[in-house]
């Protein structure tokens, strides 16, 4: 198992994909920090920014430079920029897609998996070696994203607009189970669909489609949406960043663990029975 992980890690570190992912994170988070407003891919769930006050919007429209824009934002914003950015950590979902592709889907597409499984490596050892590596790389990306955001925001915007180091660490730990659940969903998709093209077709729009369909169902059937809005992945990550009550944190942790177990069981059983060509 360790040899598989080492071999894959060596191949990944010699490639460009993981460095492109880190570069994209740097650019996106730096942009959010400079404009003092977190960016979101998908349905925005942040409640503290942007401000909709008419006078504020008018001043922004008259800003002639980034410096002017930042001065206006500083005048109106009362909150931690890094907390708002971490509230939108669902953006990391698309980074995890790249990781799953380079660790697992590439083996299916290049057919190197057949050679690996024809040797002394069992399917169980192969699957869990890949899972461990994907989770490890995912953890590195999460930590890089969160602490790069914290230190960069602290340096550029100052303590007034930054959480404490301890707060950032708490948010990170609280979000980890849900983020691991997100990774497990993608590993499950890769095990089921295997081909890069099919995996991308399903994985890339998955989060948005779930949100849109759920919102339509809630609206059409006039259902109470508290369960969805509290525990759907993106909403849960946003809520956890606001340091909620202990009871809610525990429920999210248990839900994240459930995602990890259920989707990895499905992924492994599917992979175990799959015909590898």
């Amino acid at each position: 198992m360790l040899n598989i992980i080492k071999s894959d890690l060596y191949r990944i570190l010699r490639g460009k994909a993981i460095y492109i992912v880190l570069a994209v994170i740097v650019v996106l988070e730096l942009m959010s920090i400079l404009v003092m407003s977190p960016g979101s891919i998908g349905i925005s769930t942040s409640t503290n920014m942007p401000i909709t006050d008419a006078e504020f919007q008018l001043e922004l429209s008259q800003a002639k430079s980034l410096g002017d824009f930042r001065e206006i934002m500083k005048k109106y914003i009362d909150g931690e920029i890094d907390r708002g950015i971490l509230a939108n950590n669902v953006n990391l979902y698309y980074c995890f897609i790249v990781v799953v592709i380079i660790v697992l889907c590439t083996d299916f597409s290049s057919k190197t998996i057949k050679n690996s499984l024809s040797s002394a490596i069992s399917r169980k050892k192969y699957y869990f070696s890949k899972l461990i590596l994907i989770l490890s790389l995912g953890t590195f990306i999460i930590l890089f994203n969160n602490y790069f955001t914290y230190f960069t925001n602290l340096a550029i915007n100052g303590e007034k607009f930054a959480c404490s180091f301890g707060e950032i660490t708490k948010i990170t730990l609280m979000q980890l189970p849900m983020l691991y659940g997100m990774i497990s969903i993608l590993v499950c998709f890769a095990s089921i669909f295997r081909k890069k093209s099919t995996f991308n077709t399903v994985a890339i729009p998955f989060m948005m489609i779930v949100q849109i369909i759920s919102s339509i169902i809630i609206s059409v059937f006039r259902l109470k949406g508290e369960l969805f809005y509290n525990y759907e992945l993106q909403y849960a990550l946003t809520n956890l960043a606001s340091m909620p009550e202990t009871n809610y944190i525990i429920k999210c942790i248990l839900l994240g663990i459930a995602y990890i177990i259920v989707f990895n069981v499905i992924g492994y059983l599917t992979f175990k029975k799959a015909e590898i060509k």
Side-chain angles (χ1 to χ4, degrees):
M1 183 178 288
L2 189 59
N3 289 334
I4 298 173
I5 294 173
K6 285 182 177 179
S7 176
D8 279 340
L9 192 57
Y10 177 77
R11 171 176 57 83
I12 290 165
L13 293 178
R14 285 177 60 88
K16 297 178 182 178
I18 193 68
Y19 302 108
I20 292 173
V21 167
L22 296 179
V24 169
I25 288 174
V26 168
V27 171
L28 290 178
E29 305 303 40
L30 190 56
M31 287 175 59
S32 294
I33 291 166
L34 287 173
V35 300
M36 305 183 75
S37 179
S40 175
I41 300 174
I43 298 174
S44 177
T45 59
S46 183
T47 57
N48 59 332
M49 291 176 284
I51 301 168
T52 56
D53 181 82
E55 184 179 348
F56 167 75
Q57 296 294 341
L58 178 61
E59 287 192 47
L60 279 187
S61 67
Q62 296 173 343
K64 296 180 180 179
S65 66
L66 178 59
D68 291 342
F69 185 95
R70 284 175 51 78
E71 288 305 314
I72 296 167
M73 294 295 285
K74 286 180 180 180
K75 187 166 65 172
Y76 283 92
I77 286 178
D78 182 21
E80 299 107 338
I81 307 300
D82 44 13
R83 186 189 299 276
I85 294 173
L86 267 58
N88 283 290
N89 266 353
V90 69
N91 295 342
L92 294 177
Y93 174 79
Y94 300 95
C95 298
F96 299 151
I97 288 177
V98 177
V99 171
V100 173
I101 288 173
I102 60 179
V103 174
L104 188 53
C105 292
T106 297
D107 281 11
F108 286 112
S109 297
S110 63
K111 302 189 185 299
T112 56
I113 185 172
K114 189 173 183 180
N115 295 331
S116 298
L117 295 178
S118 63
S119 61
I121 301 171
S122 67
R123 294 199 179 200
K124 181 179 180 180
K125 184 181 291 186
Y126 180 90
Y127 179 88
F128 285 102
S129 297
K130 296 290 185 178
L131 177 61
I132 290 170
L133 180 56
I134 290 169
L135 287 173
S136 299
L137 290 173
T139 303
F140 173 75
I141 287 172
I142 294 164
L143 296 178
F144 176 83
N145 174 80
N146 289 9
Y147 288 105
F148 171 81
T149 297
Y150 167 70
F151 286 112
T152 306
N153 178 60
L154 185 63
I156 294 176
N157 293 323
E159 292 183 1
K160 181 181 177 182
F161 301 102
C163 295
S164 67
F165 184 86
E167 288 273 293
I168 291 293
T169 301
K170 286 179 184 178
I171 293 171
T172 301
L173 293 175
M174 288 189 297
Q175 288 185 340
L176 272 179
M178 298 298 281
L179 291 169
Y180 285 161
M182 193 182 290
I183 293 171
S184 298
I185 292 171
L186 291 172
V187 173
C188 180
F189 286 167
S191 300
I192 294 171
F193 301 109
R194 296 189 285 281
K195 290 183 179 180
K196 278 186 190 178
S197 57
T198 310
F199 171 78
N200 285 332
T201 301
V202 174
I204 291 173
F206 174 73
M207 295 289 288
M208 293 185 190
I209 289 173
V210 168
Q211 291 173 339
I212 292 169
I213 292 175
S214 299
S215 296
I216 291 172
I217 291 173
I218 290 169
S219 177
V220 170
F221 294 98
R222 301 184 181 280
L223 303 174
K224 292 183 178 180
E226 287 87 352
L227 187 64
F228 173 76
Y229 292 121
N230 282 334
Y231 300 106
E232 185 272 335
L233 284 167
Q234 180 172 354
Y235 287 95
L237 290 172
T238 300
N239 293 335
L240 289 169
S242 64
M243 306 298 287
E245 295 180 357
T246 303
N247 186 47
Y248 179 77
I249 296 170
I250 292 172
K251 287 180 180 179
C252 285
I253 290 172
L254 293 176
L255 181 59
I257 293 171
Y259 279 132
I260 295 167
I261 294 172
V262 170
F263 284 100
N264 279 303
V265 167
I266 295 172
Y268 172 66
L269 292 178
T270 302
F271 177 72
K272 187 178 179 181
K273 296 177 182 179
E275 182 182 354
I276 306 298
K277 298 180 181 180

